[in-house]
Amino acid sequence: MEQTEELIPHLFRTEYRKLTAVLTKIFGLEHIEIAEDISSDTFLMASETWGIKGLPENPVAWLYTVAKNKAKDYLKRNTLFDQKIVPHIQSRTSEIEEFEIDLSDQNITDCQLQMMFAICHPSIPSEAQISLSLRVLCGFGIDEIANAF
């Protein structure tokens, strides 16, 4: 455990910038936040996984593999969004222009409940569910959530 606590900060200092640079090349400089998010999420996953399962045989290769898989998943989701959701939204453009946002107490409550169910979807890791719940539903800041973890 102690070895993991020392290794992750070291790897973060040496590998985070490399991962982010490679991912930025894929997503483009205008989307550097995507590259940073994937890199950060990779290190979060490392700290969680390695703390439970122990260090992998090659920690740097593990980081690169996880980051690569996360980037592929992101690109797949974007492709699906572009192919399935965007055409539907574009076909409803006239409806959207006349769209009224309902900010009644009942609608706000209903939307929060829907958000809670969406955040608790089984495909989302439990740590992410907690973080999202605290951020989106409770209004906690990122620093507050990080300190809580």
Side-chain angles (χ1 to χ4, degrees):
M1 183 69 167
E2 185 177 318
Q3 186 181 12
T4 301
E5 291 176 8
E6 293 174 10
L7 182 61
I8 289 178
H10 169 72
L11 289 175
F12 188 83
R13 286 188 299 277
T14 60
E15 304 304 322
Y16 176 84
R17 59 189 163 87
K18 296 175 188 176
L19 286 172
T20 303
V22 170
L23 293 172
T24 299
K25 183 178 180 184
I26 293 168
F27 295 112
L29 189 57
E30 65 276 8
H31 301 291
I32 190 171
E33 71 280 355
I34 297 168
E36 290 175 324
D37 287 347
I38 291 173
S39 297
S40 296
D41 195 42
T42 298
F43 277 92
L44 175 62
M45 188 175 204
S47 68
E48 293 168 349
T49 304
W50 298 355
I52 296 169
K53 295 182 179 180
L55 287 174
E57 191 173 311
N58 185 339
V60 173
W62 187 97
L63 290 170
Y64 289 4
T65 301
V66 169
K68 180 176 74 172
N69 290 337
K70 286 182 176 294
K72 284 181 180 180
D73 290 345
Y74 180 87
L75 291 169
K76 283 180 198 173
R77 279 190 306 272
N78 262 14
T79 300
L80 284 173
F81 181 81
D82 289 344
Q83 291 173 349
K84 299 198 182 240
I85 307 298
V86 169
H88 180 69
I89 292 171
Q90 289 172 340
S91 69
R92 297 181 61 199
T93 303
S94 62
E95 295 175 30
I96 293 172
E97 290 172 0
E98 299 170 12
F99 187 70
E100 180 75 27
I101 297 177
D102 180 7
L103 293 173
S104 67
D105 289 338
Q106 182 62 47
N107 192 50
I108 290 171
T109 301
D110 291 346
C111 290
Q112 288 176 316
L113 183 60
Q114 288 174 335
M115 181 64 71
M116 188 182 313
F117 283 116
I119 288 172
C120 294
H121 192 277
S123 67
I124 300 174
S126 58
E127 295 82 10
Q129 290 177 0
I130 294 167
S131 298
L132 284 168
S133 296
L134 291 172
R135 178 78 178 130
V136 175
L137 297 172
C138 300
F140 282 51
I142 294 171
D143 292 338
E144 294 169 307
I145 295 169
N147 288 335
F149 276 109

